[in-house]
Amino acid sequence: MCLAAGLDPEKRQAARQAVLGHADAQDCSLYRPDENDLDAEEEDLGDARILFTGPFQAPAEWSAQDREDYFGDIDPSAFVTALIECQAEPASRAFYLADAGDFVAVVTASGEVQMFYLFDCHEDDDGLHCVLVREDEED
């Protein structure tokens, strides 16, 4: 998979192991909605580890229109960045890559579940870089 994507397999594997073994990485599960039936149950992709890397910062070269197009009507403070790695081995049937449109359920240190929408992502030798939107429950 790495070679097809133009990635260095050794660097990519090292980045994967770094996230999986990082002391600050948290357990999570990913779910993928059915593109053909939005009312259908989401597919449980499996367990992963997520390492939050901070708030999303729009690139300085983005124009006001670029920012408006990207954020839409979502509060920019709800966007965070993270690295996500599937816990299954890459050669196994259970392995998957997170993708934009997935939902991420993160188990916090207090044992609560925080939901995120995977807004955008790209993969390079340093890992799968994701931009997530925190979903706050409305009471």
Side-chain angles (χ1 to χ4, degrees):
M1 283 190 322
C2 286
L3 295 176
L7 303 176
D8 179 316
E10 289 180 19
K11 287 181 181 177
R12 184 62 184 91
Q13 180 64 10
R16 179 179 184 280
Q17 291 303 322
V19 170
L20 291 175
H22 199 286
D24 293 330
Q26 297 173 276
D27 291 327
C28 66
S29 296
L30 275 83
Y31 302 90
R32 185 161 292 157
D34 184 332
E35 293 177 4
N36 299 317
D37 184 358
L38 297 179
D39 292 328
E41 186 80 16
E42 291 92 4
E43 176 187 1
D44 184 348
L45 297 176
D47 295 331
R49 300 275 288 164
I50 186 168
L51 179 62
F52 289 100
T53 54
F56 175 74
Q57 299 292 322
E61 64 272 9
W62 281 12
S63 69
Q65 184 63 52
D66 292 336
R67 292 171 194 270
E68 184 177 321
D69 291 345
Y70 193 83
F71 295 117
D73 60 358
I74 304 170
D75 181 354
S77 69
F79 288 75
V80 296
T81 60
L83 296 165
I84 298 176
E85 295 293 343
C86 175
Q87 289 186 359
E89 289 299 318
S92 73
R93 295 178 97 188
F95 183 79
Y96 63 89
L97 282 175
D99 199 7
D102 291 346
F103 292 99
V104 183
V106 178
V107 180
T108 66
S110 64
E112 295 181 41
V113 175
Q114 173 68 60
M115 293 299 296
F116 292 86
Y117 174 74
L118 204 165
F119 189 78
D120 193 13
C121 62
H122 74 278
E123 185 179 26
D124 62 20
D125 289 340
D126 298 322
L128 184 65
H129 304 269
C130 301
V131 177
L132 302 127
V133 178
R134 184 179 54 253
E135 295 198 353
D136 295 319
E137 292 293 320
E138 301 288 328
D139 289 354

